Structure formats: C-alpha cells, structure tokens
Amino acid sequence: MTIEDQQAGTGWDEIDLADRNLVRGGAEWNSELYRIATTQFDKAADILDLDQEARARLREPRRCLTVNFPVRMDDGRVCNFTGYRVQHTLTMGPTKGGIRFAPGVSEGECAALAVWMTWKCALLGLPYGGAKGGVRCDPNHLSDDELERITRRYASELIPIIGPDRDIPAPDMGTGEREMAWFYDTYSQMMGHAVPEIVTGKPPVLGGTEARKAATGLGVVYVAEAVGERTGHPLREQRVVVQGFGNVGGTAALELHAIGAKVVAVSDYTGGIRADDGLDVPAVHAWVEEHRTLEGCPLGDPVGRAEVLEVPCDMLIPAALERQITEDNAKRLDCKTIVEAANGPTTPEAEAILAERGILVVPDVLANAGGVTVSYFEWVQDQQKYLWDLIEIQERLRRLLRGAFSQVAETATELGVDWRTAALSVAVKRVAEAARWRAIYP
Ligand code: NAD
C-alpha cells in the first residue's frame, strides 16, 4: 500500500497480513526490544483474529517527544543529554509509565516498554494507556547533583505532554523516590502550586504511598505464590535464583526469604553470589545497602553475571534488564518456572526453546504489574487527598494480581496458548474494544 493510498483511505484490503512490513509504518521505533514487543503483539492479534484497522491502531505508539538538553557538570563542563517520552495509546485514559536512566535508553527501547505498559494496565484493568521515557546516561558515573540537574531539566522538557490527567511518570531502572521528588518539585514550581499526582513512586512524606517502593517486588512474589499453588509446588518449598538486586530483585529476594523459600543465588551488574543451602538474604541486602553492589560480598560463593541464570533452581526470576534469556542460554537453564520481574527479559526465540522444554514462563505484563498497580493507588489517593493504610494497599494489590493471574491461567487453557499470549490476548482485546467504541476522530 502506498502513502497516497493511505492518505486516500484506500488500499487496506490489499494488505497481506503475512507481510508485517506493510503495516509497520516508519522505522523510527526500530530496536531489538520493539521487534520483541511487536512479535508478541502479532501472536496475540492472530489468536484474537484482530481486524486490520485495530492492528494498525494498536501496533505503534501514538506520540514520542525527543529532547536534547544541556546540563552543567560538577567540573564546569556542559554535557548534552538525550531523553525521550513515548506514549503508546491515548485510548484508555492518561498514559502511565516509568522513567529510566541508563546508557541504552533509545526511542525504540522506550517504544517497546510503552507498548508493554499498555498491555499491563489493560490486563490489570487500570484506566491508563502505556508510556515510557528515559534519559540516556549512566547514573553509576554521575554525582547526585548532576543527577538532580538532569532530572529537573528533563522534567521541564516534558511539560508539553505530561500532566496528572495526561501522562504520569514513575520510577524505573536507575530512578527511584529521590528522582520522583525532584520531578514533582520541578513540575510544581512550573505550575505555581503543588501537584503531587504528576508522578508516582514519590517519598511517602510528599504524597507517595508506603507500599510503592516495594510494590513491584512484592507483586512478583504474590504472582509466584499463585504459580506455586497452581502447579502444586508451594513457593516456600522452592529454590529460587534472582538476577538483579535493585529495587525489584532486592525486594523480591527479601520477601521470598521471609516466606521461607530458598534463595540460592542473586546477582547484579558486577556479578553474583550463590549458596546451595540458601543465602542469608537480609545480610546480603545490608551488604548492598552499605557497598552499593554485590562486588566482593563474602556471604556466598562468587558466580559470574551470565552463569547465575544457569544455577539449578525451581524458579528463576530475572529482575535486571531485558534480553537476558536468549536462544544462546535457553537450552542450559536449569529451572521449572521463569517469573519475569524485569521487562522483556526473554526473547521470542528463547521462549520457543523454553516451551519445548516444558519450562513455564510467567510473563512480565503479569509478574511485574504490582508496580503500576500501586502507582495507580497512589495517583487515586493523591487526587482524593485521602491516604489508605498499608494493609489496605497490600490487600488490594494481592486481590488485583490474583484476579489477573486467574484470568491469564484460564485463558491459556481455554485458547491452548502460552501464558504470555494469553495475557496479551486479554489485554489487547480490551484495548481494541475501547478503541472501537471511541471510533476515529474526526
Ligand atoms: P534498579 O536500577 O533498581 O535495579 C537493577 C538491578 O539490575 C541492579 O541490581 C543492577 O546492578 C542489576 N543489573 C544491571 N545489569 C545487570 C546484568 N547485566 N546482570 C545482572 N544484573 C544486572 O531497577 P529496578 O527498578 O529494580 O528494575 C529492574 C527491572 O524491573 C527493569 O526491567 C524494570 O523495567 C523492571 N520494572 C521495574 C519496576 C519498578 O517499579 N521499579 C516496575 C516494573 C518493572
């Protein structure tokens, strides 16, 4: 189909569904992660027999703002940084998604992560479309002052497209409560009054919610518990490996330890440690609090950054970054279940190998949805100026995640598909239906 055909509104009938290039549009989102996100979407869309119009509307992000801005470094030099904010769909309400500070941040990476946010919110029934943003930088090599200047300038650059009813950022890799506080303050300074509902994941004293920091890791454990019940292997009897010991992985490991599961290996970007009898996770956590990384941690035997994924266990929880389980290592993994705490840790090629080997993959859009769910609670509380207590938040989180879990497991059985395709089918169907009702403007 030519551009002229598209503009004239003709030619859709000629689209060959097998030739994805015809509906791919521009190459602006191109990245390995976006390829993975669209491969997963196509699979669910095929299962749903989604019509061409809906596919075209949902397959690509609606908006992307690219910003490039100068920041004065501590030594007086000025460095330019590039940042993005991608909004996938505006159909479901305001958009919602994290902000990532990492060296690999790109438009294509943000696009894929925004798409996943849409499915995650739709699966949990949250009134948001997906968004994601970030700044290409290495927070490990920036001072606190430099990070503050980057965060504040990036926040001010995003003003044209964000707002409590437009797009609400949250933490992701490399950002946390502190960055959200700076973001909130910058936005509020520019508006002339406090707007706590502009970001979630803020410190509780600023209108954040007690449970948000731990929510993603806690949610991972709630979902892992439900998997254990369904497979007849209670979580407390399982041996677990956790890759990544940051906000999500660190919290999940602590929680797993607390309920009696054996955490036999953990890792971060410097490497990992293992102990076949189970690590003393609170002690490891205290070590990382003090030393920032696991490097040199004497509380287990050292294990390489890549090898940690192959340590024998019942449950593997990738909680670091994307594309960790690939066709290169999928054959060697020694686990029964993978619970995806990170976004996009498994490539489609690896997933095919894992399916053949009978390894159950619990997809990211379900497993790590605890973060955005509690973010939603925080946003609701900020808007109502009425705070819920911790027990209420945890109970609501558990109930929503368990509800989504049952839907995914039942859909997988009903359709005879893997859990990711089942989760995406539920989500894509909801968003497609909403888009159909809202129709096309004008
Ligand atoms: P974080 O920055 O707090 O922690 C990331 C951890 O991964 C760190 O321990 C880091 O050292 C480690 N890591 C980095 N590269 C690694 C490598 N090659 N091998 C092993 N470990 C490595 O980030 P986070 O917030 O915990 O996010 C982790 C993942 O969870 C990301 O995929 C993120 O998108 C996803 N996620 C986060 C949230 C949230 O609320 N923070 C919500 C949903 C999903």
Side-chain angles (χ1 to χ4, degrees):
M1 185 174 65
T2 64
I3 289 180
E4 287 74 17
D5 283 337
Q6 257 190 58
Q7 282 168 345
T10 59
W12 290 109
D13 294 342
E14 293 160 33
I15 288 177
D16 173 4
L17 284 185
D19 186 355
R20 306 287 180 200
N21 288 324
L22 281 175
V23 285
R24 185 166 293 152
E28 49 276 274
W29 320 112
N30 271 354
S31 68
E32 187 48 22
L33 215 56
Y34 190 65
R35 179 190 73 82
I36 295 173
T38 44
T39 303
Q40 295 169 354
F41 168 74
D42 289 336
K43 203 169 164 188
D46 288 346
I47 291 285
L48 293 170
D49 203 14
L50 205 64
D51 65 56
Q52 190 51 46
E53 185 183 307
R55 283 177 200 244
R57 286 179 74 178
L58 300 184
R59 205 163 186 275
E60 286 185 62
R62 284 285 301 276
R63 283 189 192 141
C64 172
L65 179 66
T66 303
V67 294
N68 185 274
F69 51 86
V71 173
R72 192 166 299 282
M73 310 307 279
D74 291 347
D75 63 6
R77 281 177 312 139
V78 171
C79 281
N80 267 57
F81 290 87
T82 301
Y84 306 92
R85 185 72 182 170
V86 177
Q87 299 171 345
H88 173 230
T89 172
L90 312 180
T91 301
M92 309 301 284
T95 48
K96 184 99 192 72
I99 289 172
R100 181 174 278 203
F101 284 180
V105 167
S106 68
E107 191 172 342
E109 181 184 272
C110 291
L113 293 163
V115 169
W116 283 325
M117 280 303 293
T118 295
W119 310 144
K120 205 178 295 186
C121 293
L123 178 63
L124 269 292
L126 311 179
Y128 298 129
K132 205 76 176 194
V135 178
R136 190 156 54 240
C137 65
D138 186 351
N140 292 320
H141 294 107
L142 291 164
S143 71
D144 290 352
D145 287 345
E146 288 165 344
L147 281 167
E148 179 174 352
R149 289 193 287 273
I150 290 171
T151 307
R152 286 185 181 279
R153 181 62 191 249
Y154 173 64
S156 67
E157 297 279 343
L158 295 193
I159 297 272
I161 62 162
I162 58 169
D165 294 314
R166 305 176 80 188
D167 183 6
I168 308 116
D172 191 67
M173 260 169 72
T175 62
E177 283 184 336
R178 183 182 66 167
E179 287 72 18
M180 295 307 111
W182 292 331
F183 200 109
Y184 156 55
D185 182 67
T186 305
Y187 187 85
S188 299
Q189 295 291 346
M190 299 187 96
M191 295 301 128
H193 59 98
V195 190
E197 59 271 35
I198 180 59
V199 282
T200 56
K202 301 175 292 293
V205 72
L206 295 182
T209 187
E210 288 288 348
R212 175 59 185 94
K213 198 172 168 195
T216 310
L218 194 61
V220 168
V221 176
Y222 289 163
V223 171
E225 252 175 350
V227 174
E229 285 165 22
R230 194 170 180 93
T231 56
H233 301 289
L235 191 55
R236 62 178 184 283
E237 291 169 13
Q238 298 206 28
R239 299 164 65 79
V240 189
V241 168
V242 183
Q243 183 207 31
F245 207 73
N247 177 15
V248 179
T251 307
L254 274 175
E255 205 59 35
L256 285 161
H257 179 83
I259 62 172
K262 239 179 216 152
V263 179
V264 291
V266 296
S267 68
D268 68 10
Y269 79 96
T270 64
I273 52 169
R274 64 182 289 183
D276 292 346
D277 292 337
L279 291 160
D280 178 352
V281 181
V284 176
H285 200 264
W287 166 277
V288 172
E289 290 272 284
E290 192 184 340
H291 300 88
R292 292 185 70 169
T293 69
L294 286 165
E295 196 173 11
C297 179
L299 297 158
D301 298 325
V303 56
R305 212 167 64 173
E307 291 81 68
V308 79
L309 295 168
E310 297 169 28
V311 170
C313 61
D314 299 303
M315 185 178 282
L316 172 62
I317 302 186
L321 62 176
E322 54 280 346
R323 293 195 292 131
Q324 295 302 293
I325 302 171
T326 64
E327 56 192 328
D328 294 334
N329 61 8
K331 292 175 235 61
R332 295 194 301 272
L333 302 190
D334 193 351
C335 62
K336 297 185 184 75
T337 312
I338 295 173
V339 178
E340 293 185 336
N343 285 308
T346 314
T347 66
E349 295 73 22
E351 201 155 5
I353 297 169
L354 298 169
E356 245 171 57
R357 296 187 55 207
I359 297 175
L360 173 67
V361 179
V362 184
D364 45 9
V365 291
L366 170 64
N368 70 29
V372 69
T373 304
V374 175
S375 272
Y376 165 62
F377 297 162
E378 180 176 334
W379 180 72
V380 168
Q381 291 170 78
D382 285 340
Q383 293 210 327
Q384 297 179 339
K385 313 282 183 260
Y386 178 75
L387 301 183
W388 312 347
D389 66 32
L390 192 59
I391 305 284
E392 185 172 1
I393 293 168
Q394 288 178 345
E395 275 174 8
R396 282 177 188 257
L397 172 64
R398 199 158 189 269
R399 199 164 58 234
L400 278 182
L401 284 175
R402 281 186 162 254
F405 174 88
S406 302
Q407 251 190 315
V408 171
E410 280 155 26
T411 306
T413 309
E414 205 178 293
L415 300 178
V417 295
D418 58 85
W419 285 33
R420 186 186 315 282
T421 308
L424 260 58
S425 301
V426 173
V428 170
K429 195 173 169 190
R430 279 187 188 150
V431 183
E433 193 185 339
R436 191 169 53 76
W437 276 108
R438 286 189 65 167
I440 296 191
Y441 171 84

